[in-house]
Coordinates of all heavy atoms in Angstrom, one line a residue:
M1 N -3.4 -5.6 -13.8 CA -3.7 -5.9 -12.5 C -3.5 -4.7 -11.5 O -2.6 -3.8 -11.8 CB -2.7 -7.0 -11.9 CG -2.7 -8.2 -12.8 SD -4.2 -9.1 -12.8 CE -4.1 -10.1 -11.3
R2 N -4.4 -4.6 -10.6 CA -4.3 -3.5 -9.7 C -4.2 -4.0 -8.2 O -4.5 -5.1 -8.1 CB -5.6 -2.6 -9.7 CG -5.8 -1.9 -11.0 CD -7.2 -1.2 -11.1 NE -8.3 -2.1 -10.8 CZ -9.3 -1.8 -9.9 NH1 -9.1 -0.7 -9.2 NH2 -10.2 -2.6 -9.7
I3 N -3.7 -3.2 -7.4 CA -3.5 -3.6 -5.9 C -4.6 -3.0 -5.1 O -4.8 -1.7 -5.1 CB -2.2 -3.3 -5.4 CG1 -1.1 -4.1 -6.2 CG2 -2.0 -3.6 -4.0 CD1 0.2 -3.7 -5.9
D4 N -5.3 -3.7 -4.3 CA -6.3 -3.1 -3.5 C -5.7 -2.6 -2.2 O -5.6 -3.3 -1.1 CB -7.3 -4.2 -3.1 CG -8.5 -3.6 -2.3 OD1 -8.6 -2.4 -1.9 OD2 -9.6 -4.3 -2.5
V5 N -5.0 -1.4 -2.2 CA -4.2 -0.9 -1.1 C -5.2 -0.5 0.1 O -4.9 -0.8 1.3 CB -3.5 0.4 -1.5 CG1 -2.8 1.0 -0.3 CG2 -2.5 0.1 -2.6
K6 N -6.4 0.0 -0.1 CA -7.4 0.3 0.9 C -7.7 -0.9 1.8 O -7.7 -0.9 3.0 CB -8.6 0.9 0.4 CG -8.4 2.2 -0.2 CD -9.7 3.0 -0.7 CE -9.4 4.2 -1.5 NZ -10.5 4.7 -2.0
R7 N -7.9 -2.1 1.1 CA -8.2 -3.4 1.7 C -7.0 -3.8 2.6 O -7.1 -4.2 3.8 CB -8.6 -4.4 0.8 CG -9.1 -5.7 1.6 CD -9.8 -6.6 0.6 NE -9.7 -8.0 1.0 CZ -8.8 -8.7 0.5 NH1 -8.3 -8.5 -0.7 NH2 -8.6 -10.1 1.0
Y8 N -5.8 -3.7 2.0 CA -4.7 -3.9 2.7 C -4.5 -3.2 4.0 O -4.1 -3.8 5.0 CB -3.3 -3.7 1.8 CG -2.0 -4.1 2.5 CD1 -1.5 -5.4 2.6 CD2 -1.3 -3.2 3.2 CE1 -0.4 -5.8 3.1 CE2 -0.1 -3.4 3.8 CZ 0.4 -4.7 3.8 OH 1.6 -5.1 4.4
L9 N -4.7 -1.9 4.0 CA -4.6 -1.0 5.1 C -5.6 -1.4 6.1 O -5.3 -1.6 7.3 CB -4.9 0.5 4.8 CG -3.9 1.2 3.8 CD1 -4.4 2.5 3.5 CD2 -2.5 1.3 4.7
S10 N -6.9 -1.8 5.8 CA -7.9 -2.2 6.6 C -7.6 -3.5 7.3 O -7.7 -3.7 8.7 CB -9.2 -2.2 5.9 OG -10.2 -2.9 6.8
V11 N -7.2 -4.4 6.6 CA -6.8 -5.8 7.1 C -5.7 -5.8 8.1 O -5.6 -6.4 9.1 CB -6.6 -6.9 5.9 CG1 -6.0 -8.1 6.4 CG2 -7.8 -7.0 5.1
N12 N -4.7 -4.8 7.8 CA -3.6 -4.7 8.6 C -3.8 -3.7 9.8 O -2.7 -3.3 10.4 CB -2.3 -4.5 7.8 CG -2.0 -5.7 7.1 OD1 -1.4 -6.7 7.7 ND2 -2.2 -5.8 5.8
H13 N -5.1 -3.2 10.0 CA -5.3 -2.3 11.0 C -4.3 -1.0 10.8 O -3.8 -0.4 11.9 CB -5.2 -2.9 12.4 CG -6.0 -4.1 12.5 ND1 -7.3 -4.1 12.5 CD2 -5.6 -5.4 12.5 CE1 -7.8 -5.4 12.7 NE2 -6.6 -6.1 12.6
L14 N -4.2 -0.5 9.7 CA -3.4 0.8 9.4 C -4.2 1.8 8.9 O -5.3 1.6 8.2 CB -2.3 0.5 8.3 CG -1.2 -0.6 8.6 CD1 -0.5 -1.0 7.4 CD2 -0.3 -0.1 9.8
T15 N -3.9 3.1 9.3 CA -4.5 4.2 8.5 C -3.3 4.9 7.7 O -2.2 4.7 8.0 CB -4.9 5.1 9.6 OG1 -4.0 5.7 10.3 CG2 -6.2 4.4 10.4
I16 N -3.7 5.8 6.9 CA -2.8 6.6 6.2 C -2.1 7.4 7.1 O -0.8 7.5 6.9 CB -3.5 7.3 5.1 CG1 -4.1 6.3 3.9 CG2 -2.4 8.2 4.3 CD1 -5.1 7.1 2.9
Y17 N -2.8 8.0 8.0 CA -2.0 8.7 9.0 C -0.9 8.1 9.7 O 0.2 8.6 9.9 CB -3.1 9.3 10.1 CG -2.4 10.0 11.3 CD1 -2.1 11.4 10.9 CD2 -2.2 9.5 12.5 CE1 -1.3 12.1 12.0 CE2 -1.6 10.2 13.5 CZ -1.2 11.6 13.2 OH -0.5 12.4 14.1
H18 N -1.1 6.9 10.2 CA -0.3 6.0 10.9 C 0.9 5.7 10.0 O 2.1 5.7 10.4 CB -1.0 4.5 11.3 CG 0.0 3.7 12.0 ND1 0.4 3.8 13.3 CD2 0.6 2.5 11.6 CE1 1.2 2.9 13.6 NE2 1.4 2.1 12.6
V19 N 0.6 5.3 8.8 CA 1.7 5.1 7.8 C 2.5 6.2 7.6 O 3.9 6.3 7.6 CB 1.1 4.5 6.5 CG1 2.2 4.3 5.4 CG2 0.5 3.2 6.6
A20 N 1.9 7.4 7.4 CA 2.8 8.6 7.3 C 3.6 9.0 8.4 O 4.7 9.2 8.3 CB 1.8 9.8 6.9
K21 N 3.0 8.8 9.6 CA 3.7 9.1 10.9 C 5.0 8.1 11.1 O 6.0 8.6 11.4 CB 2.8 9.0 12.1 CG 3.4 9.4 13.4 CD 2.4 9.2 14.5 CE 3.1 9.5 15.7 NZ 2.2 9.3 16.9
E22 N 4.8 6.9 10.8 CA 5.7 5.9 11.1 C 6.9 5.8 10.0 O 8.0 5.6 10.3 CB 5.1 4.4 11.2 CG 4.3 4.2 12.3 CD 5.1 4.4 13.7 OE1 6.2 4.0 13.9 OE2 4.6 5.0 14.5
S23 N 6.4 6.3 8.8 CA 7.4 6.3 7.7 C 8.2 7.5 7.4 O 9.3 7.5 6.8 CB 6.7 5.7 6.3 OG 6.0 6.8 5.9
G24 N 7.6 8.6 7.9 CA 8.2 9.9 7.6 C 7.8 10.6 6.3 O 8.3 11.6 5.9
Y25 N 7.0 9.8 5.5 CA 6.5 10.4 4.3 C 5.2 11.2 4.6 O 4.5 11.1 5.6 CB 6.1 9.3 3.3 CG 7.2 8.6 2.8 CD1 7.5 7.3 3.1 CD2 8.0 9.0 1.8 CE1 8.6 6.6 2.8 CE2 9.1 8.4 1.3 CZ 9.4 7.1 1.8 OH 10.5 6.4 1.2
G26 N 5.0 12.2 3.8 CA 3.8 13.0 4.0 C 2.6 12.6 3.9 O 2.3 11.7 3.0
Y27 N 1.7 13.0 4.8 CA 0.3 12.3 4.7 C -0.4 12.6 3.4 O -1.0 11.8 2.8 CB -0.6 12.9 5.9 CG -2.1 12.7 5.8 CD1 -2.5 11.5 6.3 CD2 -2.9 13.5 5.1 CE1 -3.8 11.0 6.1 CE2 -4.4 13.2 5.0 CZ -4.6 12.0 5.6 OH -6.1 11.5 5.5
T28 N -0.3 13.8 2.9 CA -1.0 14.2 1.7 C -0.5 13.4 0.6 O -1.2 12.9 -0.4 CB -0.8 15.9 1.4 OG1 -1.3 16.5 2.6 CG2 -1.5 16.2 0.1
T29 N 0.8 13.3 0.5 CA 1.4 12.6 -0.6 C 0.9 11.0 -0.6 O 0.5 10.5 -1.6 CB 3.0 12.5 -0.5 OG1 3.4 13.8 -0.5 CG2 3.6 11.7 -1.6
L30 N 1.0 10.5 0.5 CA 0.4 9.1 0.7 C -1.1 9.0 0.5 O -1.6 8.0 -0.2 CB 0.7 8.4 2.1 CG 2.2 8.2 2.3 CD1 2.5 7.6 3.8 CD2 2.9 7.2 1.2
H31 N -1.9 9.9 0.9 CA -3.2 10.0 0.7 C -3.7 9.9 -0.8 O -4.5 9.2 -1.4 CB -3.9 11.1 1.5 CG -5.3 11.1 1.5 ND1 -6.2 11.7 0.5 CD2 -6.3 10.7 2.3 CE1 -7.4 11.6 0.7 NE2 -7.6 10.9 1.9
K32 N -2.9 10.9 -1.5 CA -3.2 10.9 -2.9 C -2.8 9.6 -3.6 O -3.7 9.2 -4.4 CB -2.4 12.2 -3.5 CG -3.0 13.5 -3.2 CD -2.1 14.4 -3.8 CE -2.7 15.8 -3.4 NZ -1.7 17.0 -4.1
S33 N -1.7 9.0 -3.2 CA -1.2 7.8 -3.9 C -2.2 6.6 -3.6 O -2.6 5.8 -4.5 CB 0.1 7.4 -3.4 OG 0.7 6.3 -4.0
F34 N -2.5 6.4 -2.3 CA -3.3 5.4 -1.9 C -4.8 5.5 -2.3 O -5.6 4.5 -2.4 CB -3.5 5.1 -0.4 CG -2.1 4.7 0.1 CD1 -1.8 4.8 1.4 CD2 -1.0 4.3 -0.6 CE1 -0.6 4.4 2.0 CE2 0.2 3.7 -0.1 CZ 0.4 3.9 1.1
N35 N -5.4 6.6 -2.6 CA -6.7 6.9 -3.0 C -6.8 7.2 -4.6 O -8.0 7.3 -5.0 CB -7.3 8.0 -2.3 CG -7.7 7.5 -0.7 OD1 -8.5 6.7 -0.6 ND2 -7.0 8.1 0.1
K36 N -5.9 7.2 -5.4 CA -6.0 7.5 -6.7 C -6.5 6.3 -7.4 O -6.2 5.0 -7.0 CB -4.7 8.0 -7.4 CG -3.6 6.8 -7.4 CD -2.4 7.2 -8.1 CE -1.4 6.1 -7.9 NZ 0.1 6.6 -8.0
E37 N -7.1 6.4 -8.5 CA -7.6 5.4 -9.4 C -6.3 4.7 -10.0 O -5.6 5.5 -10.6 CB -8.5 5.9 -10.5 CG -9.0 4.7 -11.4 CD -9.9 3.6 -10.7 OE1 -10.6 4.0 -9.6 OE2 -9.9 2.5 -11.0
Q38 N -6.1 3.5 -9.7 CA -4.8 2.8 -10.2 C -5.0 2.3 -11.4 O -6.0 1.6 -11.8 CB -4.4 1.7 -9.1 CG -3.0 1.3 -9.3 CD -2.7 0.3 -8.2 OE1 -3.3 -0.8 -8.3 NE2 -1.9 0.5 -7.4
S39 N -4.0 2.5 -12.4 CA -4.1 1.8 -13.7 C -2.6 1.4 -14.1 O -1.7 1.5 -13.2 CB -4.4 2.9 -14.8 OG -3.4 3.9 -14.9
S40 N -2.5 0.8 -15.2 CA -1.1 0.4 -15.6 C -0.2 1.5 -15.7 O 1.1 1.3 -15.6 CB -1.2 -0.4 -16.9 OG -1.7 0.4 -17.9
A41 N -0.7 2.7 -15.9 CA 0.2 3.9 -15.9 C 0.5 4.4 -14.6 O 1.5 5.3 -14.4 CB -0.4 5.1 -16.7
T42 N -0.2 4.0 -13.5 CA 0.0 4.6 -12.2 C 0.1 3.5 -11.2 O -0.8 3.3 -10.4 CB -0.9 5.6 -11.7 OG1 -2.4 4.9 -11.8 CG2 -1.0 6.8 -12.7
P43 N 1.1 2.6 -11.3 CA 1.2 1.5 -10.3 C 1.6 2.1 -8.9 O 2.1 3.0 -8.7 CB 2.3 0.6 -10.8 CG 3.2 1.7 -11.5 CD 2.3 2.7 -12.1
L44 N 1.5 1.2 -8.0 CA 1.9 1.4 -6.6 C 3.5 1.6 -6.7 O 4.2 0.8 -7.4 CB 1.6 0.2 -5.7 CG 1.8 0.3 -4.2 CD1 0.8 1.3 -3.7 CD2 1.7 -1.0 -3.5
N45 N 4.1 2.7 -6.1 CA 5.5 2.8 -6.3 C 6.3 2.4 -5.1 O 5.7 2.0 -4.1 CB 5.7 4.4 -6.7 CG 5.3 5.3 -5.7 OD1 5.5 5.0 -4.5 ND2 4.6 6.4 -6.1
L46 N 7.7 2.6 -5.3 CA 8.6 2.2 -4.2 C 8.4 3.0 -2.9 O 8.5 2.4 -1.8 CB 10.1 2.3 -4.7 CG 10.4 1.2 -5.7 CD1 11.9 1.5 -6.3 CD2 10.3 -0.2 -5.3
R47 N 8.0 4.2 -3.0 CA 7.8 5.1 -1.9 C 6.6 4.5 -1.1 O 6.6 4.3 0.2 CB 7.4 6.5 -2.3 CG 7.1 7.4 -1.1 CD 6.4 8.6 -1.5 NE 5.1 8.2 -2.1 CZ 4.6 8.8 -3.3 NH1 5.3 9.6 -3.8 NH2 3.6 8.3 -3.8
D48 N 5.5 4.0 -1.8 CA 4.4 3.5 -1.1 C 4.8 2.1 -0.3 O 4.3 1.9 0.8 CB 3.3 3.2 -2.1 CG 2.8 4.5 -2.7 OD1 3.0 5.7 -2.3 OD2 2.3 4.5 -3.8
L49 N 5.5 1.3 -1.1 CA 6.0 0.0 -0.4 C 6.8 0.3 0.8 O 6.6 -0.3 1.7 CB 6.7 -0.8 -1.5 CG 5.9 -1.5 -2.5 CD1 6.9 -2.2 -3.6 CD2 5.0 -2.5 -1.9
D50 N 7.7 1.3 0.6 CA 8.7 1.6 1.8 C 7.8 2.1 2.9 O 8.1 1.8 4.1 CB 9.8 2.6 1.1 CG 10.7 3.0 2.3 OD1 11.1 2.0 2.9 OD2 11.0 4.1 2.6
A51 N 6.9 3.0 2.7 CA 6.0 3.5 3.7 C 5.3 2.4 4.4 O 5.3 2.4 5.7 CB 5.1 4.6 3.2
L52 N 4.6 1.5 3.7 CA 3.9 0.4 4.2 C 5.0 -0.4 5.0 O 4.5 -0.9 6.2 CB 3.2 -0.4 3.3 CG 2.0 0.3 2.6 CD1 1.5 -0.4 1.3 CD2 0.9 0.5 3.6
A53 N 6.0 -0.7 4.6 CA 7.0 -1.7 5.3 C 7.6 -1.0 6.5 O 7.5 -1.6 7.6 CB 8.2 -1.9 4.5
Q54 N 7.8 0.3 6.5 CA 8.3 0.9 7.7 C 7.2 1.1 8.8 O 7.5 0.8 10.0 CB 8.7 2.4 7.4 CG 10.0 2.5 6.7 CD 10.5 3.9 6.6 OE1 10.5 4.6 7.5 NE2 11.0 4.3 5.3
A55 N 5.9 1.2 8.5 CA 4.9 1.3 9.3 C 4.7 0.0 10.1 O 4.1 -0.1 11.2 CB 3.6 1.8 8.6
Q56 N 5.1 -1.1 9.4 CA 4.8 -2.3 10.0 C 6.1 -3.1 10.5 O 6.2 -4.3 10.9 CB 4.2 -3.4 9.1 CG 2.8 -2.8 8.6 CD 2.2 -3.6 7.5 OE1 1.6 -4.6 7.7 NE2 2.5 -3.2 6.3
N57 N 7.2 -2.4 10.4 CA 8.6 -2.9 10.7 C 8.9 -4.2 9.9 O 9.3 -5.3 10.4 CB 8.7 -3.2 12.2 CG 8.7 -2.0 13.1 OD1 9.3 -1.0 12.8 ND2 7.9 -1.9 14.1
K58 N 8.5 -4.2 8.6 CA 8.8 -5.2 7.7 C 9.8 -4.8 6.6 O 10.1 -3.6 6.4 CB 7.5 -5.7 7.0 CG 6.5 -6.4 7.9 CD 5.3 -6.8 7.0 CE 4.3 -7.4 8.0 NZ 3.2 -8.0 7.1
R59 N 10.2 -5.7 5.8 CA 11.0 -5.4 4.7 C 10.1 -5.2 3.4 O 9.0 -5.8 3.5 CB 12.0 -6.6 4.4 CG 12.8 -7.0 5.4 CD 14.3 -6.3 5.3 NE 15.2 -6.9 6.3 CZ 16.0 -6.0 6.8 NH1 16.1 -4.8 6.3 NH2 17.0 -6.6 7.7
M60 N 10.5 -4.4 2.6 CA 9.6 -4.1 1.4 C 9.3 -5.4 0.6 O 8.1 -5.5 0.1 CB 10.4 -3.1 0.4 CG 10.5 -1.7 1.0 SD 11.3 -0.5 0.0 CE 10.8 -0.7 -1.6
W61 N 10.2 -6.3 0.5 CA 9.7 -7.6 -0.2 C 8.7 -8.4 0.5 O 7.8 -9.0 -0.1 CB 10.9 -8.5 -0.4 CG 11.7 -9.0 0.8 CD1 12.7 -8.6 1.6 CD2 11.3 -10.3 1.5 NE1 12.9 -9.4 2.5 CE2 12.0 -10.6 2.6 CE3 10.2 -11.2 1.2 CZ2 11.9 -11.7 3.4 CZ3 10.1 -12.4 2.0 CH2 10.9 -12.6 3.1
Q62 N 8.7 -8.2 1.9 CA 7.6 -8.9 2.6 C 6.2 -8.3 2.3 O 5.3 -9.0 2.2 CB 7.9 -8.8 4.1 CG 9.1 -9.7 4.6 CD 9.4 -9.4 6.0 OE1 9.6 -8.4 6.3 NE2 9.5 -10.5 6.7
V63 N 6.2 -7.0 2.3 CA 4.9 -6.2 1.9 C 4.5 -6.5 0.5 O 3.4 -6.9 0.2 CB 5.1 -4.7 2.1 CG1 3.9 -4.0 1.7 CG2 5.4 -4.4 3.5
L64 N 5.4 -6.5 -0.5 CA 5.2 -6.9 -1.8 C 4.6 -8.2 -2.1 O 3.7 -8.3 -2.7 CB 6.3 -6.6 -2.7 CG 6.2 -6.8 -4.2 CD1 5.2 -5.8 -4.8 CD2 7.5 -6.6 -4.8
K65 N 5.2 -9.1 -1.3 CA 4.8 -10.6 -1.5 C 3.3 -10.7 -1.0 O 2.5 -11.4 -1.6 CB 5.8 -11.5 -0.5 CG 5.4 -12.9 -0.6 CD 6.4 -13.7 0.1 CE 6.1 -15.2 -0.1 NZ 5.6 -15.8 1.2
D66 N 3.1 -10.1 0.2 CA 1.7 -10.1 0.7 C 0.7 -9.4 -0.2 O -0.3 -10.0 -0.4 CB 1.6 -9.3 2.1 CG 0.5 -9.6 2.9 OD1 -0.2 -10.6 2.7 OD2 0.0 -8.9 3.8
L67 N 1.2 -8.3 -0.8 CA 0.2 -7.6 -1.8 C 0.0 -8.5 -3.0 O -1.1 -8.6 -3.4 CB 0.8 -6.2 -2.2 CG 0.9 -5.2 -1.1 CD1 1.7 -4.0 -1.7 CD2 -0.6 -4.8 -0.7
E68 N 1.0 -9.1 -3.4 CA 0.8 -10.0 -4.7 C 0.1 -11.2 -4.4 O -0.7 -11.7 -5.2 CB 2.4 -10.4 -5.2 CG 3.1 -9.4 -5.8 CD 4.3 -9.8 -6.4 OE1 4.9 -10.8 -5.7 OE2 4.9 -9.0 -7.2
E69 N 0.2 -11.8 -3.2 CA -0.6 -13.0 -2.8 C -2.0 -12.8 -2.5 O -2.8 -13.7 -2.8 CB 0.3 -13.7 -1.8 CG 1.6 -14.3 -2.2 CD 2.3 -15.1 -1.1 OE1 1.9 -14.9 0.1 OE2 3.4 -15.7 -1.4
H70 N -2.3 -11.7 -2.0 CA -3.6 -11.5 -1.3 C -4.5 -10.3 -1.8 O -5.6 -10.2 -1.5 CB -3.6 -11.5 0.3 CG -2.8 -12.6 0.8 ND1 -3.4 -13.8 0.8 CD2 -1.6 -12.8 1.3 CE1 -2.4 -14.7 1.3 NE2 -1.5 -14.0 1.5
Y71 N -3.8 -9.4 -2.5 CA -4.5 -8.0 -2.7 C -4.5 -7.7 -4.2 O -4.7 -6.5 -4.5 CB -4.0 -7.0 -1.9 CG -4.0 -7.3 -0.4 CD1 -3.0 -7.9 0.4 CD2 -5.3 -7.1 0.3 CE1 -3.2 -8.3 1.7 CE2 -5.4 -7.3 1.6 CZ -4.3 -8.0 2.2 OH -4.5 -8.3 3.6
L72 N -4.2 -8.5 -5.1 CA -4.3 -8.2 -6.5 C -5.7 -8.2 -7.1 O -6.5 -9.1 -6.7 CB -3.4 -9.1 -7.3 CG -2.0 -8.9 -7.4 CD1 -1.2 -9.9 -8.2 CD2 -1.5 -7.4 -7.7
L73 N -6.2 -7.3 -7.9 CA -7.3 -7.2 -8.4 C -7.1 -7.3 -10.1 O -6.2 -6.7 -10.4 CB -8.2 -6.0 -8.3 CG -8.4 -5.7 -6.7 CD1 -8.9 -4.3 -6.6 CD2 -9.4 -6.7 -6.1
S74 N -7.9 -8.1 -10.7 CA -7.9 -8.0 -12.1 C -8.4 -6.7 -12.6 O -9.3 -6.3 -12.0 CB -8.5 -9.4 -12.8 OG -10.0 -9.2 -12.4
D75 N -8.0 -6.5 -13.8 CA -8.6 -5.1 -14.4 C -10.0 -5.2 -14.7 O -10.6 -4.1 -14.7 CB -7.8 -4.7 -15.7 CG -6.4 -4.4 -15.5 OD1 -6.1 -3.8 -14.4 OD2 -5.6 -4.6 -16.4
D76 N -10.7 -6.3 -14.8 CA -12.0 -6.4 -15.0 C -13.0 -6.5 -13.7 O -14.1 -6.6 -13.8 CB -12.4 -7.6 -15.9 CG -12.0 -8.9 -15.4 OD1 -11.3 -9.0 -14.4 OD2 -12.5 -9.9 -15.9
S77 N -12.3 -6.3 -12.6 CA -13.0 -6.4 -11.3 C -13.1 -5.1 -10.6 O -13.1 -4.8 -9.4 CB -12.3 -7.4 -10.2 OG -11.1 -6.9 -10.0
K78 N -13.4 -4.0 -11.4 CA -13.5 -2.7 -10.9 C -14.7 -2.5 -10.2 O -15.8 -2.9 -10.4 CB -13.4 -1.7 -12.1 CG -11.9 -1.7 -12.6 CD -11.8 -0.7 -13.7 CE -10.4 -0.7 -14.4 NZ -10.3 0.1 -15.4

């Protein structure tokens, strides 16, 4: 299973720049992470969840729950 991070950003009216600014994580680091081809070897990591949570004043578990409920892609839906 993969997570459609780009769709999550779009639906929540976020940009990578905004997430980087609000979270304190580097733009380049987040840009590489959010735009990489995701596989079972390269899942969304805790830093990415933390950055998304901080940018929206949410807890990490709230972001993870939203991602799991609405933004999961099966491996065959590439």
Side-chain angles (χ1 to χ4, degrees):
M1 301 298 270
R2 297 176 305 125
I3 297 171
D4 191 347
V5 177
K6 291 180 188 178
R7 188 166 146 254
Y8 180 85
L9 292 171
S10 176
V11 168
N12 288 284
H13 309 289
L14 296 169
T15 63
I16 297 171
Y17 174 78
H18 177 78
V19 172
K21 182 178 175 186
E22 294 298 317
S23 69
Y25 291 104
Y27 172 83
T28 303
T29 299
L30 293 176
H31 187 273
K32 285 180 183 177
S33 183
F34 291 164
N35 285 297
K36 71 183 173 200
E37 183 64 30
Q38 198 178 60
S39 71
S40 60
T42 58
L44 193 67
N45 62 42
L46 290 175
R47 177 204 56 231
D48 300 337
L49 285 174
D50 184 45
L52 291 169
Q54 286 187 48
Q56 300 174 88
N57 295 315
K58 292 183 177 181
R59 303 261 187 219
M60 286 173 50
W61 69 265
Q62 292 170 308
V63 173
L64 183 58
K65 182 177 185 252
D66 194 24
L67 290 169
E68 287 179 338
E69 290 178 350
H70 305 289
Y71 300 94
L72 283 182
L73 300 171
S74 64
D75 287 333
D76 58 349
S77 66
K78 292 180 181 178

